[in-house]
Amino acid sequence: MTYKAPRRKEILICLIALAAWLAVTAAFVGFRPEHPVMALLIAALFFASGASRRLVMALLPFAIFGISYDWMNIVPNYTVNPVDIAGLYEAEKSLFGISTAAGTLTPNEFFALHTNSILDFLCGIFYLCWVPVPILFGIYLYYSHKEKPYLHFALVFLFVNLIGFAGYYIHPAAPPWYIAEHGTEFLLGTGGSVAGLGAFDRMVGAGIFEAIYARNANVFAAVPSLHSAYTLVAFIYAVRSKSPMGWKIALTVITLGIWFTAVYSSHHYIIDVVLGIACALLGFIVFEFGLMRIRPFARFINNYANYITPKK
């Protein structure tokens, strides 16, 4: 197969975009080793071949998701609006409280007193799936020659994230573990916590979640629970793309597992999970039945799909 070099315009856009990303990140977030590694990998794939260049462009929505999450460090949401700590806790207790001899407990507090080693392990596995599984599902769609369904899925995944990130700034909120560890007072500079997921780390003898939450871009981003949205979006597109039953079953089990884990591990209230589900449904409906009916937008999506589709 003859190598087809990218056009000059494509080269300029790629290099300018990478330089801008690295410059902003270095100036406002702080450089980490993975930043230049990812930039070099993207550049290498972009110039390697037409197939790898199409793959880079296909995965662009996921790259933008990662960058936008990282960039939330530039303007922390708690500097924009007050953080809801006690209000959300009391609302959860009012709506979903569990009566015990010790008084009314939130489901998180109840599970913290009734842990189970099997659940600890399964919940750790489920929570490790929240981003990798949707990305793997997207790659499956792409390499199954379902480029258009893939692109819709990837863009809705990104759109749902942007809706959720907006929610973080509109209503900053503390997760359940924050009250358990710090009470209802707002403490500036509080780091992330593994909370109930620490049991999984101890069980497997590795600080997997410790490493993940040490880099948490924002502790006060409990509402909505985007953990609860990601695999739900993947499930929706598994159904729409008529993917094999194996994918539908796996995504159903993982989605339900993540919803349970979010509460069991004290990372989210049930309210957060419900709002995360609503966020996923809102993103899907607005994209498919709103944006896609706008002709210029639909034309852009069709051109994008044609670009990432292998040429025969």
Side-chain angles (χ1 to χ4, degrees):
M1 184 178 293
T2 304
Y3 170 73
K4 185 178 180 180
R7 293 172 294 178
R8 181 177 298 179
K9 183 178 179 181
E10 292 175 316
I11 294 172
L12 286 174
I13 292 174
C14 177
L15 295 179
I16 290 172
L18 289 175
W21 163 47
L22 293 175
V24 172
T25 300
F28 299 104
V29 178
F31 237 27
R32 296 194 301 270
E34 63 263 31
H35 290 134
V37 170
M38 286 303 299
L40 289 172
L41 177 61
I42 291 170
L45 289 173
F46 189 82
F47 289 101
S49 69
S52 60
R53 184 158 53 254
R54 286 190 295 273
L55 178 62
V56 167
M57 293 305 297
L59 293 176
L60 186 58
F62 293 104
I64 294 174
F65 149 67
I67 292 169
S68 59
Y69 179 81
D70 204 23
W71 280 6
M72 282 196 293
N73 285 296
I74 297 173
V75 181
N77 68 339
Y78 55 78
T79 65
V80 176
N81 279 308
V83 177
D84 184 353
I85 302 175
L88 186 60
Y89 171 77
E90 293 299 335
E92 179 79 0
K93 187 179 288 188
S94 174
L95 291 171
F96 304 107
I98 299 172
S99 297
T100 70
T104 302
L105 304 176
T106 65
N108 315 94
E109 293 170 327
F110 179 82
F111 284 130
L113 296 174
H114 300 84
T115 58
N116 177 283
S117 58
I118 295 176
L119 286 178
D120 289 340
F121 180 77
L122 290 176
C123 285
I125 296 298
F126 283 133
Y127 236 49
L128 288 174
C129 293
W130 70 298
V131 170
V133 167
I135 293 176
L136 286 174
F137 171 68
I139 291 173
Y140 156 75
L141 285 180
Y142 182 71
Y143 281 107
S144 296
H145 304 294
K146 297 180 178 181
E147 291 86 3
K148 193 166 184 178
Y150 160 77
L151 187 58
H152 280 231
F153 160 65
L155 290 173
V156 169
F157 180 90
L158 174 60
F159 186 40
V160 167
N161 271 286
L162 296 179
I163 294 172
F165 293 168
Y168 294 166
Y169 283 91
I170 294 169
H171 190 88
W177 61 259
Y178 184 91
I179 282 188
E181 295 183 14
H182 306 293
T184 58
E185 182 182 355
F186 172 73
L187 299 174
L188 185 64
T190 303
S193 172
V194 296
L197 295 171
F200 179 85
D201 276 358
R202 292 188 294 272
M203 192 177 297
V204 300
I208 299 173
F209 287 107
E210 188 68 41
I212 292 172
Y213 284 98
R215 296 182 177 182
N216 192 357
N218 197 340
V219 167
F220 303 106
V223 177
S225 167
L226 289 179
H227 281 84
S228 304
Y230 293 166
T231 54
L232 175 57
V233 174
F235 171 78
I236 290 171
Y237 280 93
V239 173
R240 283 179 66 88
S241 64
K242 298 180 181 179
S243 295
M245 185 58 66
W247 270 112
K248 297 173 187 174
I249 293 173
L251 287 168
T252 298
V253 172
I254 292 170
T255 299
L256 294 174
I258 288 175
W259 292 351
F260 175 78
T261 302
V263 178
Y264 177 83
S265 66
S266 286
H267 278 276
H268 287 285
Y269 295 111
I270 292 177
I271 292 173
D272 308 342
V273 172
V274 171
L275 291 174
I277 294 168
C279 190
L281 296 176
L282 175 64
F284 164 69
I285 291 170
V286 170
F287 184 91
E288 294 290 356
F289 302 103
L291 295 176
M292 285 303 296
R293 293 187 178 182
I294 301 173
R295 287 186 179 180
F297 184 82
R299 188 160 50 246
F300 166 75
I301 298 301
N302 287 332
N303 291 338
Y304 193 164
N306 289 335
Y307 184 93
I308 65 174
T309 299
K311 304 300 181 288
K312 296 181 180 180

